[in-house]
Each structure stands twice: as C-alpha cells, then as structure tokens.
Amino acid sequence: MSKPMFENIALVGIGLIGSSLARVIRREGLARHIAVASRSAETLKRAKELKLGDDYTTDARKAARGADLIIVSVPVGACGAVAEEIQPALMNGAILTDVCSAKSSVIAQMQPHVPEGVHFIPGHPLADTEKSGPDAGFADLFDNRWCIFTPVPDTDPDALERLSEFWRRCGANIDTMDPQHHDMTLAIVSHLPHIIAYNIVGTADDLQSATKSEVIKYSASGFRDFTRLAASDPTMWRDVCLDNKDAIVEMLVRFSENLSFLQRAIRWGEGGKLFDLFTRTRAVRRSVVGQDVGLADFGR
Ligand code: NAP
C-alpha cells in the first residue's frame, strides 16, 4: 500500500458522512491515524464498536490536536460552534474542511475561527442517503459522486489540490464553484425536492385514517418515491432550510409560479400545455438517468 496522504485525520462528527469517510480512509490507507469525535458518548461507543478510528473522544478539540486534516461532519447549524471549539488546537499548515450541504452559511460561521496558517477549504460531497448515524455509513458512498469545493479567497492551491486528491481517492469526482452558486444550484437539485417530499408525505399523513391506509397500500404508484426523501434526518434538513434560506425561498417562488401555471392548465383543460411540459421534463429524466449509469453526461 502507498504512503498515507495524512498522518492524523480528525473526524469531527461520525454519522453517515463521517463514518463513511472513516471506512474509506481505512480501506484506502489514507491516514496513519484516525481520531474520532462525536458529541454524545452513545454515538462514540457505537463508533468504537464499529472500529471506525484509532482514538475516540467527545472532546472535538482533543481530536483536532495534532491533526493535519480535520473534517467537520456535523449539521450545518453546529459548524460555527465546532470551529470555535477546535480553534486553539488547529496546527499550522493543517487543512480544515467540512461536508455541509449549505456553503455560504458554513463559511460565515467557520471562517472567523480559522487561525492564520490553517487552510480552510469548504466542501460538500453530493452523496445522499436518508439514513444517519455511524451504522449507516459505507466505504463506497462517495464512488463516482461529485465533491464540490467552494474555496474562500486566497485558498492555497497546493492545499486545495491535496484535499482534491484525498477525495478522488475516496472515489469522488471534484468540482469547484463559488458558495452562492453552490447554494442556488443545490437549492433546486436537492433542497427543493426534499421540501416537496416532506410536504407530500405530510399532506398524506393529514388525511383521514381510511384514506391513509390506502396511501400505504397503493404507494408504489408514485408516493413511495417521495417517502425515501421524506425519511431524511430532521435535524440536518431543518438546518439546511434555515441556513440556505435565501436560495430556497427564491426556488420556492419559481416553483409556486410554475405550480399555478399547471393548476390553471388542469382547471381549464389545456391539454396542449400539459403535454408540452411533460414532454420537456421527460427529456430531462433521460439525461439524469444517463448520469446514474455512467453515460457521458454531466461530465461523468
Ligand atoms: P448524522 O448521521 O446525523 O451525524 C451527525 C454527527 O454530528 C454525529 O456525530 C452527531 O453527534 C454530530 N452532531 C449532531 N449535532 C451536533 C451538534 N449540535 N454539535 C456537535 N456535533 C453534533 O449526519 P450526516 O448525515 O453525517 O450529516 C453531517 C453533515 O453532512 C451535515 O452538515 C449534512 O448537511 C452533510 N451532508 C449530509 C448528507 C446526507 O445525505 N446525510 C449528504 C451530504 C452532506 P452525536 O450523534 O454524538 O450527537
């Protein structure tokens, strides 16, 4: 096996993303030592049982001490407090990164706590499942998924390349963009679909119990696809909504306008308008499926 890329990686947060990282770091031999930190003793105990690291602590600062790569994998709303907590332990020359789903907010929360000489490189692996916690992770989670960096001004190109190589070895493809663009893009490709799913499933759950049992019985007709997204972690998605508010509200406004158009076409029996829209959206599906099966699409 080749020389590890990092001497000591600190994983602050060991849920779905942190534990998937732990597994792939181990499999690929990317670190000589993995320090695991989690807020609760319970999660930490489970991480230990799963042998995800070498050291375990509920003290994030202790985990970060002496680490040359620190990866923060906690809910968006907790990033600022974590950065403040680990600040005194951050080593000169270390790379500090995160995996959070909303970037402008994370930068605003974390950057003020980053000491001079530490390379802060915000990141986001687009690797979703609806599960959470250390048991949910797996080493292949990032295979052929995008990892997007939203570098801050004056990011050291060598540190960025080193972190990019780390993620490539974890299986991911790399892209970079500015944080606002990331947040707007993710609002439509990820955040809005989750909000719509939460709303559809919530609406069904409000129905009278007789109808509700039929919803479950006949769910394969479409509803089931939404329940996977609507089963996603409530803390994570509460934070994404609050921390990417502007972009999400902008997309919701556009969505509501288009919904009114659809509603009107249905009410007035304007079949041509419906047919045209459904034809256009069918073409989008074909390009997205191409992405899943690795066809030459979206740069994959
Ligand atoms: P998760 O499975 O729920 O794990 C969360 C981890 O953060 C746990 O170790 C948890 O500790 C810790 N934590 C929770 N609240 C905290 C707080 N207030 N302060 C400090 N630590 C706290 O979450 P995840 O799915 O790995 O998500 C982590 C991050 O990755 C989020 O920012 C999310 O936006 C991003 N992300 C998620 C996905 C996805 O599909 N899930 C995909 C891409 C990016 P305890 O369990 O000990 O409380």
Side-chain angles (χ1 to χ4, degrees), residues 11-20 36-44 58 60 72-79 81-82 98-103 106 123-137 141-142 190-191 194 228 232-240:
L11 297 174
V12 179
I14 195 74
L16 170 74
I17 302 292
S19 75
S20 296
V36 171
S38 200
R39 178 182 57 167
S40 72
E42 195 188 343
T43 299
L44 204 63
T58 51
V72 175
S73 309
V74 303
V76 186
C79 279
V82 166
D98 74 295
V99 298
C100 294
S101 312
K103 301 307 339 158
V106 163
H124 178 203
L126 307 191
D128 283 38
T129 87
E130 72 282 17
K131 310 228 170 67
S132 29
D135 284 285
L141 178 64
F142 309 110
S190 170
H191 307 169
H194 279 83
R228 186 186 75 76
S232 300
D233 187 67
T235 304
M236 167 179 164
W237 284 97
R238 177 203 62 196
D239 282 12
V240 169

Side-chain angles (χ1 to χ4, degrees), residues 224-275:
R224 188 177 294 173
D225 289 347
F226 288 101
T227 58
R228 186 186 75 76
L229 291 183
S232 300
D233 187 67
T235 304
M236 167 179 164
W237 284 97
R238 177 203 62 196
D239 282 12
V240 169
C241 288
L242 298 179
D243 284 87
N244 195 23
K245 180 168 72 178
D246 293 346
I248 290 175
V249 168
E250 164 67 20
M251 289 305 162
L252 277 172
V253 168
R254 287 167 182 251
F255 179 81
S256 305
E257 284 170 11
N258 289 340
L259 192 61
S260 300
F261 167 86
L262 255 180
Q263 186 177 319
R264 192 184 153 79
I266 294 168
R267 181 195 285 278
W268 295 102
E270 296 171 330
K273 285 184 180 169
L274 298 176
F275 188 84

